[in-house]
Amino acid sequence: MFYPKSPFLGKGLQLENEILKVHTAALPQLLSWLCQTPRITTYRVNTLRTSVIDYKAKLQEQLKQRYGHQAPRVYGLHELPEMLCIAPLDAPADAQYDDALRQLIVDTSCGAALLRGAHIFAPGVLAMETGTQLQELVNVFADLAGKCKRGTATRYVSDEKIFLGVGRVLMQRHQLYNNNKESASGIAVHMETNVSGVPTLGDLSDADALLQNLPSIVCVRVLGPQPGESVLDMCAAPGNKTTHIAELMGDVGRVVALDNSASRVRGMQSKLANYRCIEAYHFDATKALNELGEECSTGPPFAAESFDRILLDAPCSGLGNRPQLSCSIKQAKVLQSYPHVQRNLLAQAVSLLRPGGVLVYSTCTVTEAECEQLVAWALRKFPQIRLVDAQPKLGAPGLQLAELDDDQCQMLQRFGPSAENRSDDLDTVGFFIAKFEKAKN
């Protein structure tokens, strides 16, 4: 298993505890967990196109071709019947540094993806030594300090780089650094081994299945969309949860996907085009409610009480993404700005939800301010909503707060380094889910 030095611990616990708001005794465990690579890889099968059994056979064949008799196990979880998991390799020690090989440096974002089984795409390559040839094996390092200049041609010497694995070069320097966008794209290095033990498969996503984190799949199951309903996905890009909603609805009903970035909406159009029930709009969800109460048949803003179910996968600090390799932490002021946006979005969601409807609030972070405190604020602010149990329950209960009783904490779902999340089968990213129901009267 991959255990880098925590990028947070050297910054002093006071700052991190101010931001993360967890019990001081639990902070080192949390920070260490965030710096480790999740052990499992998960795919969500599009059951409108294929069966889970057929896709499992396809995955097993690809793994057999790659790893032979050492191919990792493919299995499912009964709570999420559309999901398949790939276990870690039994022998990750094969990823060993070879001093005879040249070195290649990637940024921390690329490095984190590499440790989760990805290959290296051209934009992530910071440095490649002169003379590196096609098909040559190289030692791959991540630049933790962020000081390596893109295009560096000599061996990058630094105490703040970390060995990640060995890869085979598919692009040379002139393809990577000639400022030609067309050539400087695609896979630059095919990873042969990595130190995390996660299979190096790249992204096998296609129309039949999608690489997706386990909690994101749980999130839509908690929402529980039904055929024929009207569902709003307030912050939809890149559209993975949106398509999951449509699949659970049998592509029957109405799924409205909003995002405030035009480029992100364009980017997910090809994915959403395979579904009849999805309509996507470039629109700021903090303004999704039509204050005049007028019904608009062509798109947002919408009249109050327009939707049966609403998913608010809110913009957040993203501190649940693992592994965290960066040596810098976001400024406290930046982190503290997210709850303001999240509250504005929640206020819109409550108004747009029909009586008796379901609202799911989720984040891919671990800060108390964006998770449990946001839930406590919503319950104070909107007496017409109440917490309900976020089933299926694969995560741990929420953190204890004075404003939330024990029963309410049990209804929440937090993915983190708790006892419930320590098994390989549930080792995933940090995430938070809360489910609300609006009063019928």
Side-chain angles (χ1 to χ4, degrees), residues 60 71 101 131 161 193 216 247 258 305 364 366 408 421 438:
Q60 288 173 323
L101 302 181
K161 66 180 183 182
T193 59
S216 295
E247 288 162 21
L258 304 182
E305 302 181 355
C364 58
V366 293
Q408 290 173 320
N421 299 142
K438 191 172 183 179

Side-chain angles (χ1 to χ4, degrees), residues 8 16 28 81 84 88 118 129 145 163 197 215 227 237 291 309 358 393 432:
F8 301 103
E16 287 81 19
L84 286 173
E129 293 184 57
F163 174 67
E291 302 286 355
R309 297 176 196 264
V358 169
K393 189 67 67 69
F432 178 82

Side-chain angles (χ1 to χ4, degrees), residues 217-224 358 360 389-392 413 433 435:
I217 301 172
V218 173
C219 183
V220 175
R221 274 288 174 177
V222 170
L223 182 68
V358 169
V360 168
D389 202 13
Q391 293 285 351
Q413 193 162 176
I433 304 172
K435 182 177 182 179

Side-chain angles (χ1 to χ4, degrees), residues 29-233:
Q29 180 192 20
L30 173 60
L31 297 180
S32 176
W33 180 80
L34 288 173
C35 294
Q36 298 168 25
T37 305
R39 299 284 285 161
I40 63 169
T41 304
T42 48
Y43 280 87
R44 174 173 59 79
V45 178
N46 182 351
T47 53
L48 299 181
R49 290 180 53 92
T50 188
S51 71
V52 174
I53 292 175
D54 287 345
Y55 197 80
K56 181 179 181 180
K58 177 182 175 180
L59 268 184
Q60 288 173 323
E61 180 60 28
Q62 289 172 314
L63 289 165
K64 183 179 179 180
Q65 291 176 4
R66 176 75 171 84
Y67 293 103
H69 68 279
Q70 294 182 325
R73 178 172 62 104
V74 179
Y75 61 95
L77 300 177
H78 72 273
E79 298 94 337
L80 303 171
E82 67 274 39
M83 186 184 74
L84 286 173
C85 307
I86 302 175
L89 297 169
D90 291 332
D94 290 339
Q96 296 181 356
Y97 175 78
D98 185 345
D99 193 51
L101 302 181
R102 290 188 173 91
Q103 294 184 10
L104 183 135
I105 310 296
V106 299
D107 60 38
T108 53
S109 176
C110 177
L114 179 163
L115 290 170
R116 297 203 64 186
H119 299 303
I120 300 174
F121 283 80
V125 180
L126 297 177
M128 176 184 284
E129 293 184 57
T130 299
T132 303
Q133 302 298 311
L134 292 177
Q135 300 300 317
E136 181 178 340
L137 291 177
V138 291
N139 293 316
V140 179
F141 287 80
D143 172 32
L144 300 183
K147 295 179 180 178
C148 180
K149 293 183 179 179
R150 181 171 172 80
T152 297
T154 57
R155 177 163 295 198
Y156 177 62
V157 179
S158 172
D159 293 333
E160 296 182 279
K161 66 180 183 182
I162 188 165
F163 174 67
L164 302 180
V166 174
R168 188 174 299 278
V169 174
L170 302 182
M171 287 186 184
Q172 293 179 291
R173 285 189 53 83
H174 69 89
Q175 296 171 283
L176 294 170
Y177 306 122
N178 65 358
N179 295 322
N180 185 325
K181 291 184 178 180
E182 292 185 3
S183 63
S185 62
I187 297 176
V189 179
H190 186 285
M191 292 303 299
E192 299 292 322
T193 59
N194 64 45
V195 296
S196 69
V198 175
T200 54
L201 297 172
D203 185 354
L204 302 179
S205 295
D206 55 26
D208 290 338
L210 187 71
L211 182 67
Q212 191 172 14
N213 287 321
L214 184 149
S216 295
I217 301 172
V218 173
C219 183
V220 175
R221 274 288 174 177
V222 170
L223 182 68
Q226 302 298 311
E229 290 184 331
S230 182
V231 181
L232 174 63
D233 188 351

Side-chain angles (χ1 to χ4, degrees), residues 209-337:
L210 187 71
L211 182 67
Q212 191 172 14
N213 287 321
L214 184 149
S216 295
I217 301 172
V218 173
C219 183
V220 175
R221 274 288 174 177
V222 170
L223 182 68
Q226 302 298 311
E229 290 184 331
S230 182
V231 181
L232 174 63
D233 188 351
M234 296 186 75
C235 304
N240 297 344
K241 296 183 185 68
T242 314
T243 58
H244 192 192
I245 292 169
E247 288 162 21
L248 293 184
M249 293 170 62
D251 205 12
V252 176
R254 186 190 189 199
V255 180
V256 176
L258 304 182
D259 200 273
N260 65 355
S261 166
S263 62
R264 288 198 297 263
V265 172
R266 288 193 299 271
M268 64 181 182
Q269 285 291 356
S270 60
K271 185 184 302 180
L272 305 186
N274 297 320
Y275 303 85
R276 297 186 304 272
C277 71
I278 299 176
E279 49 192 83
Y281 301 97
H282 168 216
F283 198 84
D284 182 355
T286 63
K287 303 173 183 177
L289 175 67
N290 190 325
E291 302 286 355
L292 300 178
E294 300 173 352
E295 185 68 47
C296 181
S297 59
T298 58
F302 304 102
E305 302 181 355
S306 290
F307 296 96
D308 300 299
R309 297 176 196 264
I310 297 177
L311 173 61
L312 172 51
D313 187 44
C316 69
S317 56
L319 290 178
N321 293 319
R322 301 170 63 208
Q324 294 276 350
L325 297 184
S326 175
C327 287
S328 62
I329 192 166
K330 293 182 180 180
Q331 293 181 352
K333 288 184 179 179
V334 175
L335 293 176
Q336 291 163 0
S337 69

